[in-house]
Amino acid sequence: MLVSEVIAMRTGSEPTTARSPLRMRLWLSLWGIFWTLFGLVAFALTGRPGWAAACAVVLLLAVLDLGVITYRMRQGVHYQPGRDVPPYEPDHGGGRPRRPGPGADDGRKNGGRAGPDPEV
C-alpha cells in the first residue's frame, strides 16, 4: 500500500444513509421481461426457434429475478440502529498492526529473532 493512498473509514452512519438497489433491479427486470417476451413472440412468428429458445431462457431468468426482488422488498427493512444509537468512533490507526517496510524493525525484541528475551 502506498503512503498516499487514503482508506475510507466507516463512520457508523452508513445504515441510515445507504440506498437499496432493489427498485432499480425491479424496473430493469420488468424492462427485460418486456423485451424478451417481445423477442420470443417475434422470433417464434418468423420461424427462428433457436433465437426464440434463447429469449425464453432469458425470460425465465428475468422472471426468477423479479420473484427474488419482490420477496426481498416484501421482507421490509432489516434491523438497523436508530437515531438514538450513536455511531462508533472510527479507528484512527493507533492500535492497528502494520506491516513493516523493507529493512524496518517490526517492533519485536531481539530484532525479530526467535528465542528467549535477552533481558530475562
Side-chain angles (χ1 to χ4, degrees), residues 2-120:
L2 298 174
V3 176
S4 62
E5 287 184 30
V6 176
I7 299 174
M9 306 289 281
R10 275 185 46 96
T11 62
S13 64
E14 288 86 353
T16 59
T17 59
R19 299 285 184 238
S20 172
L22 287 177
R23 279 195 204 279
M24 180 183 64
R25 279 183 58 194
L26 174 79
W27 288 109
L28 287 174
S29 182
L30 290 172
W31 183 254
I33 288 172
F34 170 75
W35 280 108
T36 54
L37 189 59
F38 173 77
L40 175 66
V41 171
F43 285 125
L45 291 177
T46 57
R48 303 270 181 136
W51 286 104
C55 285
V57 168
V58 175
L59 177 66
L60 177 66
L61 290 174
V63 169
L64 288 174
D65 188 41
L66 183 66
V68 169
I69 292 166
T70 54
Y71 172 75
R72 289 186 178 169
M73 287 179 86
R74 289 183 181 193
Q75 278 182 329
V77 180
H78 297 286
Y79 170 75
Q80 295 178 357
R83 294 190 182 273
D84 57 335
V85 178
Y88 60 86
E89 182 66 27
D91 182 19
H92 296 291
R96 185 182 328 164
R98 296 190 177 171
R99 288 191 314 208
D105 185 13
D106 65 354
R108 291 189 291 178
K109 296 177 183 174
N110 279 343
R113 294 186 307 268
D117 263 349
E119 301 168 25
V120 176

